[in-house]
Amino acid sequence: METLENIKTRVYKFGNKSADGDSTMKNLLGGKGANLAEMSKIGIPVPPGFTITTDVCTEYNLLGEEAVVNLLTNEVEASIDTIEKSMGAKFGDKENPLLVSVRSGARVSMPGMMDTVLNIGLNDEVVIGLANKTKNERFAWDSYRRFIQMYGGVVLGMKPEYKEDIDPFEEIIEALKHKRTIELDTDFTIQDLKDLVYDFKEAVKKRTSHDFPTNPWEQLWGAIIAVFNSWNGDRAVYYRNMHGYPADWGTAVNVQAMVYGNMGNNSGTGVCFTRDAGTGENVFNGEYLINAQGEDVVAGVRTPQQITKLGSERWAVLAKVEEDERAEKYPSLEELMPTIYNELNGYQEKLEKHYRDMQDMEFTMQDGKLWILQTRNGKRTGFAMVKIAMDLLKEGTINEKEALLRIEPNKLDELLHPIFDPKALKSANVIAQGLPASPGAATGKIVFFADEANKYKNSILVRIETSPEDLEGMNIAKGILTARGGMTSHAAVVARGMGKCCVSGAGALKINYKNRTLTVDGHEYHDGDWISLNGSTGNIIEGKVATTEPELSGEFAEIMELTDKYATMQVRTNADSPNDAKIARNFGAQGIGLTRTEHMFFEVDRIKAMREMILSDTVKGRKEALKDLLPMQRDDFEGIFEAMAGLPVTVRLLDPPLHEFVPHQLATQKDLADDMHISLEAVKSKVAELEEFNPMLGHRGCRLGITYPEITEMQARAIIEAALNLKEKGIEAKPEIMVPLIGTLAEFENQEKIIRETAKQIFEERNDSIEFLVGTMIEIPRAALLADKIAQSADFFSFGTNDLTQMTFGYSRDDAGKFLPIYIEKGILKVDPFEVLDQEGVGQLVKMGTERGRSIKPDLKVGICGEHGGEPSSVEFCYQTGMNYVSCSPYRVPIARLASAQAAIKDSL
């Protein structure tokens, strides 16, 4: 009897205008497989093939290679038979050979992070059959040398041994080019290609101690297993962690009949986008290469030409190429092959209309016939993401809710980065020009190797061309500069996906890895030298260039206006200064959810008075010192209240332990002793007295105000007087005074009494009053459990999820970095709970606290002010919990506004 294990479908076929799957099956077939199936169904010319599901990748990781090959063999062999019938050729046949490609395909696009192998099925006999069949010996041997190079690198591990080395196969190619005094791969003779095949196989034998595999089926299974292995390769793991994709998703494997772009001057390959992935402009664009295979375009080994005439003319301006030379040497596909171009243009229009989003397509032209190899929703910069969503909305393709849901909240961060100051650009020294592959402004020190990108605080990664292995360094660097590659090269595509500034294809650059030098027009730049990149123009600039803050304008402002239409949960900001408050208000903050008063005491003119207060042994002495601090603190609050005029401002009373304010260096202790006219020993004694074994759980928060009520009294006076002073100027202040770190109702009531009595006294002194609230920060688990009791007195709750996470998990936030990465790597935790709210544990305390508080006060105002207030999934949880607001840092406000709107929209669907 067959088990479920044996009858489960693991392989889905596509091609010839039919398919077993469709675009809704991305989780099972991966994005590439699902879209290949969909394109087949809507009549797009797709080479026939089949997809091995993502479930099999999971089985492979559990059961191993032998078990999975046994499970797949019958379905794979049957599917190859289907391709053979469709293509009229046979896999492994010496006279009428079928070759196939093997590509990865996760449910989300991960460009370059996993492996691809083309031309599978070639050996010394099949290559002769392919040459005879196509009557193109050069093409056959070119395909064979490409296959050995790709299979050797992907399946057999033939990578550079040292980072200064180039690819071992490229080293052989470069040596032959030097010997033959040629520059391009297309200049090789047939004998050259045969020599390369021989040399490649010798290199494989020398490195691996095994002959290169000649059995087509062994080659196919080797490639399939290599793709499964690449799901857990270093670059794929890093990419997943960077984007928060789970390890258990797995990758699908797509096996397709080969179509050939390297059959001569009537063949080629390319990548195109239905809109500009960098700027969002609604213009068809892309690049192609004649007599090449797909990997040539993205690898950046040859700099490709533009698909459209408009794109070609724009490129020529940047490259400083005259129109006559452009038309003759670098024609667009539109000019060179108008029939193919018109067919491609029709498909791109059809696919964008079908998917209702910008498409990233790969295509091959084989002897005048066009094949579409892939389509996917294109990776794009944050700027392009916003513009495309708004343009599609204005065109009537999508509605307002869809436009908002199309925006990835975290990618808005790219629009909030500093930009080059236009005045500084006027005097900048432009040393070279490349292609504006990914917009932005980047200034940093030159590094030549990805693993050295963290050598400097700000670095620019300079490479001849990038490869997927460079991913981590590309992520760390402020910008990426390559000498080779076009707008669709690996560097360009990955940089746009990251929102990283990138200039590619700067042909004037001469890069020497061994000497670590970059030479332009005879001038030499070294590791550690400063350069700047303008990703919007392609300019490469010597030295540093001044930057300026971005503005909320254009489509960005429009999308933010839309968020206000749909969001029901407000977004406040965490701000400790008038400047931070103004920035946040300009970004749409609807108040302040957290002002930390302790930051105000660290300034030079205040720390002395603070230390005098701490070192005093009497209430009178402490009050004298606090009297000096009062006007300073009051001025601070006036500035913040004025910046947030008419909006609520939550001020947290002093929270950190006092030992953070005292001097720990001998010289500073001596100065303090002299200023206070006390002995050095007295200062040392007090500093030692304040030391705690576990200060995060020690004498801090409301415990300070209970021990030293005069501190709470001074802070309450500063807040109330500041609000009254503004009232006299006609400015409305809405203070909310927050008591930190309570675990009992009695703690809150102790501090509330001091605050309200102080306010009452000030109102009597001034013969005036203002409205204010007194609430608390829920950051101790006990407070969440007793929220119904605390709500009897508190006007509002604000969840401090940084400390709540720390105390719920029992992790020290300052020390967790030593073990959390290992926890995530081993799958014990999926994400860092200090970055993404733990909804299962900490979140339940938040939910419970909210529900219990509102069981006593149904209209209790509830918010969150930890770092989680600007993290999209945490914002959605806060919405589901029924919070009134989230609060985050000023530059996260637009992100939180969008996440709040998306949460409301998802709830309404």
Side-chain angles (χ1 to χ4, degrees):
M1 181 178 174
E2 287 188 302
T3 65
L4 183 64
E5 186 76 1
N6 291 329
I7 61 173
K8 173 180 172 182
T9 301
R10 294 179 173 84
V11 175
Y12 287 71
K13 295 189 284 291
F14 58 83
N16 292 330
K17 298 184 180 180
S18 68
D20 298 336
D22 58 46
S23 62
T24 65
M25 300 172 69
K26 287 183 179 178
N27 290 358
L28 183 67
L29 303 181
K32 187 174 293 183
N35 286 332
L36 285 167
E38 186 76 11
M39 285 195 291
S40 294
K41 284 187 167 182
I42 64 172
I44 303 291
V46 171
F50 59 89
T51 300
I52 302 171
T53 68
T54 57
D55 286 349
V56 180
C57 184
T58 304
E59 288 179 322
Y60 171 75
N61 290 326
L62 289 171
L63 305 174
E65 179 178 342
E66 185 178 351
V68 162
V69 170
N70 287 336
L71 287 170
L72 283 173
T73 295
N74 290 341
E75 285 184 87
V76 167
E77 288 180 352
S79 298
I80 288 287
D81 183 62
T82 300
I83 298 174
E84 289 174 338
K85 289 172 181 171
S86 177
M87 298 299 288
K90 192 163 183 63
F91 187 58
D93 191 88
K94 298 172 188 176
E95 294 180 0
N96 184 25
L98 167 75
L99 304 187
V100 296
S101 64
V102 171
R103 292 180 172 91
S104 62
R107 67 174 70 178
V108 291
S109 175
M110 296 173 61
M113 296 306 109
M114 289 176 290
D115 290 327
T116 294
V117 183
L118 307 180
N119 306 317
I120 293 168
L122 279 169
N123 57 33
D124 291 352
E125 295 173 319
V126 170
V127 71
I128 295 169
L130 184 64
N132 292 336
K133 177 184 175 182
T134 60
K135 296 181 174 57
N136 191 333
E137 189 178 11
R138 190 191 188 288
F139 147 73
W141 284 96
D142 181 52
S143 299
Y144 195 12
R145 69 92 185 168
R146 289 170 180 273
F147 168 55
I148 297 172
Q149 180 173 2
M150 194 172 279
Y151 194 93
V154 169
V155 182
L156 305 180
M158 293 278 290
K159 306 287 186 185
E161 293 188 75
Y162 303 100
K163 65 185 180 185
E164 291 85 1
D165 296 341
I166 64 171
D167 178 271
F169 297 108
E170 286 296 327
E171 190 173 4
I172 294 169
I173 289 172
E174 291 302 318
L176 183 56
K177 284 181 179 176
H178 181 72
K179 179 181 176 183
R180 294 265 290 102
T181 63
I182 57 176
E183 290 188 9
L184 301 175
D185 295 359
T186 48
D187 294 330
F188 283 134
T189 64
I190 294 170
Q191 187 57 51
D192 290 336
L193 295 169
K194 290 179 178 180
D195 290 344
L196 285 176
V197 166
Y198 178 83
D199 290 342
F200 283 1
K201 289 197 288 186
E202 284 294 303
V204 169
K205 181 71 177 286
K206 184 177 179 181
R207 175 80 81 87
T208 68
S209 302
H210 294 286
D211 289 327
F212 187 85
T214 57
N215 183 303
W217 284 100
E218 181 186 348
Q219 295 170 0
L220 177 59
W221 286 114
I224 290 170
I225 297 303
V227 169
F228 284 145
N229 284 332
S230 70
W231 174 250
N232 286 317
D234 289 345
R235 62 183 190 264
V237 170
Y238 185 85
Y239 191 89
R240 289 204 304 269
N241 291 340
M242 191 169 73
H243 291 277
Y245 300 150
D248 57 10
W249 278 359
T251 181
V253 179
N254 298 287
V255 180
Q256 246 179 316
M258 278 298 302
V259 289
Y260 309 102
N262 58 328
M263 289 188 73
N265 290 334
N266 201 26
S267 301
T269 187
V271 176
C272 59
F273 299 86
T274 59
R275 298 178 189 235
D276 192 305
T279 67
E281 183 184 5
N282 186 6
V283 57
F284 179 42
N285 67 99
E287 296 172 328
Y288 76 102
L289 283 170
I290 290 297
N291 197 15
Q293 288 197 329
E295 292 301 302
D296 295 347
V297 179
V298 294
V301 176
R302 286 167 61 189
T303 298
Q305 292 163 223
Q306 297 295 308
I307 287 175
T308 67
K309 184 179 180 184
L310 174 63
S312 184
E313 289 170 342
R314 289 180 175 182
W315 167 85
V317 171
L318 291 171
K320 296 181 172 59
V321 172
E322 294 295 327
E323 172 58 19
D324 290 346
E325 183 184 358
R326 181 205 69 77
E328 181 184 349
K329 294 183 179 178
Y330 311 106
S332 65
L333 184 67
E334 184 177 3
E335 296 164 292
L336 188 67
M337 298 180 174
T339 303
I340 289 278
Y341 169 80
N342 288 332
E343 186 181 356
L344 178 64
N345 191 39
Y347 291 145
Q348 67 93 10
E349 289 176 350
K350 181 175 183 177
L351 286 169
E352 177 169 292
K353 186 176 180 181
H354 182 78
Y355 285 100
R356 299 163 65 243
D357 200 356
M358 185 267 278
Q359 295 299 294
D360 167 3
M361 302 159 55
E362 295 179 15
F363 63 93
T364 286
M365 304 165 285
Q366 177 180 307
D367 201 21
K369 178 173 173 54
L370 179 64
W371 296 90
I372 306 300
L373 306 184
Q374 171 172 288
T375 194
R376 58 190 175 193
N377 291 341
K379 293 284 184 184
R380 61 204 76 177
T381 64
F383 185 87
M385 173 186 68
V386 170
K387 178 168 175 53
I388 289 170
M390 290 307 298
D391 282 352
L392 288 172
L393 171 62
K394 292 168 185 174
E395 292 162 18
T397 303
I398 59 177
N399 61 37
E400 289 180 345
K401 290 183 178 180
E402 287 175 309
L404 286 169
L405 291 174
R406 289 280 175 93
I407 309 294
E408 294 177 46
N410 281 328
K411 280 191 76 67
L412 286 181
D413 187 49
E414 297 167 27
L415 282 74
L416 305 173
H417 291 177
I419 57 176
F420 284 139
D421 186 336
K423 294 177 184 175
L425 283 176
K426 288 179 182 177
S427 58
N429 178 22
V430 177
I431 58 173
Q433 173 76 51
L435 298 174
S438 183
T443 293
K445 293 183 176 183
I446 293 171
V447 294
F448 292 98
F449 300 101
D451 63 354
E452 296 179 6
N454 59 0
K455 185 160 66 170
Y456 307 113
K457 183 180 178 183
N458 298 299
S459 63
I460 302 290
L461 180 62
V462 178
R463 301 286 292 166
I464 296 171
E465 71 256 348
T466 63
S467 72
E469 281 75 15
D470 294 329
L471 177 69
E472 185 171 358
M474 294 172 72
N475 187 38
I476 293 168
K478 297 294 182 186
I480 301 150
L481 172 62
T482 68
R484 294 182 191 158
M487 298 287 281
T488 55
S489 65
H490 174 267
V493 171
V494 172
R496 285 195 292 268
M498 289 178 175
K500 191 78 63 173
C501 174
C502 177
V503 174
S504 64
L509 307 183
K510 305 300 178 190
I511 297 168
N512 187 313
Y513 290 147
K514 290 193 174 174
N515 294 336
R516 298 182 182 231
T517 57
L518 163 65
T519 306
V520 188
D521 291 336
H523 188 92
E524 200 168 84
Y525 298 89
H526 303 88
D527 187 298
D529 287 348
W530 285 90
I531 59 169
S532 298
L533 305 179
N534 189 333
S536 302
T537 64
N539 285 343
I540 304 155
I541 302 166
E542 185 176 72
K544 298 182 187 180
V545 178
T547 57
T548 186
E549 294 300 321
E551 294 180 350
L552 198 65
S553 59
E555 285 90 356
F556 188 18
E558 290 174 14
I559 209 86
M560 286 295 102
E561 285 176 23
L562 265 189
T563 66
D564 293 338
K565 182 174 179 179
Y566 291 96
T568 56
M569 181 176 65
Q570 293 187 333
V571 176
R572 297 192 190 182
T573 189
N574 302 338
D576 306 333
S577 70
N579 185 54
D580 285 348
K582 286 173 187 170
I583 291 170
R585 188 160 191 167
N586 288 338
F587 283 142
Q590 295 162 293
I592 291 179
L594 176 64
T595 291
R596 307 170 186 86
T597 56
E598 60 269 12
H599 290 179
M600 302 169 180
F601 295 129
F602 283 104
E603 294 179 21
V604 177
D605 59 339
R606 305 170 187 210
I607 192 69
K608 179 174 175 289
M610 187 68 179
R611 287 169 173 172
E612 287 177 359
M613 187 274 295
I614 293 168
L615 289 170
S616 177
D617 288 326
T618 66
V619 173
K620 182 181 177 184
R622 285 194 291 274
K623 283 190 173 182
E624 283 297 317
L626 289 167
K627 193 175 177 182
D628 292 338
L629 285 170
L630 173 63
M632 302 176 193
Q633 184 114 96
R634 185 172 56 225
D635 288 347
D636 289 331
F637 292 138
E638 284 188 32
I640 291 171
F641 290 155
E642 186 169 358
M644 281 289 168
L647 296 175
V649 176
T650 303
V651 180
R652 183 180 71 184
L653 299 180
L654 191 65
D655 182 48
L658 294 180
H659 81 87
E660 290 190 11
F661 297 97
V662 296
H664 296 276
Q665 294 180 328
L666 183 61
T668 320
Q669 289 176 348
K670 283 180 181 177
D671 291 342
L672 183 59
D674 292 341
D675 289 340
M676 291 189 65
H677 307 294
I678 59 176
S679 69
L680 176 60
E681 288 307 313
V683 174
K684 284 184 174 181
S685 175
K686 191 67 175 181
V687 171
E689 181 187 321
L690 291 171
E691 285 292 335
E692 295 180 297
F693 287 108
N694 194 343
M696 291 307 294
L697 297 177
H699 195 188
R700 56 170 286 224
C702 67
R703 299 156 201 169
L704 290 173
I706 292 168
T707 310
Y708 306 117
E710 52 274 14
I711 296 177
T712 302
E713 187 181 318
M714 183 277 288
Q715 290 200 292
R717 178 169 284 275
I719 294 166
I720 300 298
E721 287 183 351
L724 283 169
N725 290 347
L726 287 185
K727 183 181 178 183
E728 290 176 358
K729 298 178 184 178
I731 299 170
E732 183 185 16
K734 293 185 173 182
E736 300 177 347
I737 303 173
M738 184 160 67
V739 181
L741 212 72
I742 69 155
T744 69
L745 173 60
E747 286 174 317
F748 176 76
E749 289 180 334
N750 175 284
Q751 292 294 281
E752 181 194 24
K753 184 180 178 184
I754 297 170
I755 295 164
R756 294 198 184 278
E757 286 180 351
T758 302
K760 183 180 178 184
Q761 184 180 341
I762 297 167
F763 294 160
E764 289 172 355
E765 292 168 2
R766 301 279 290 261
N767 197 28
D768 199 359
S769 66
I770 50 108
E771 294 292 324
F772 69 97
L773 302 179
V774 183
T776 188
M777 204 165 184
I778 305 290
E779 48 194 330
I780 293 177
R782 192 177 194 276
L785 296 170
L786 300 178
D788 51 344
K789 290 184 170 58
I790 295 167
Q792 293 170 14
S793 297
D795 293 328
F796 66 87
F797 287 172
S798 179
F799 285 91
T801 49
N802 297 344
D803 270 335
L804 190 58
T805 297
Q806 181 169 232
M807 295 190 199
T808 304
F809 273 97
Y811 297 162
S812 164
R813 194 172 22 159
D814 296 327
D815 301 306
K818 296 173 183 174
F819 59 85
L820 277 181
I822 298 166
Y823 269 42
I824 293 167
E825 182 183 327
K826 292 182 180 290
I828 293 169
L829 291 175
K830 288 192 174 181
V831 292
D832 183 339
F834 293 107
E835 294 179 2
V836 178
L837 184 66
D838 164 45
Q839 297 181 21
E840 290 181 339
V842 178
Q844 293 312 301
L845 286 171
V846 171
K847 191 175 180 183
M848 182 190 304
T850 302
E851 290 171 351
R852 291 189 176 185
R854 285 181 174 159
S855 71
I856 301 300
K857 281 185 182 165
D859 59 347
L860 181 73
K861 186 186 291 187
V862 180
I864 184 175
C865 61
E867 291 300 315
H868 302 107
E871 194 283 314
S873 67
S874 307
V875 172
E876 184 173 354
F877 174 81
C878 292
Y879 167 84
Q880 292 165 349
T881 304
M883 288 192 184
N884 299 89
Y885 68 86
V886 295
S887 188
C888 57
S889 64
Y891 286 99
R892 300 289 292 181
V893 166
I895 294 166
R897 288 174 67 191
L898 175 65
S900 176
Q902 288 180 337
I905 291 168
K906 290 174 187 175
D907 192 42
S908 70
L909 296 177

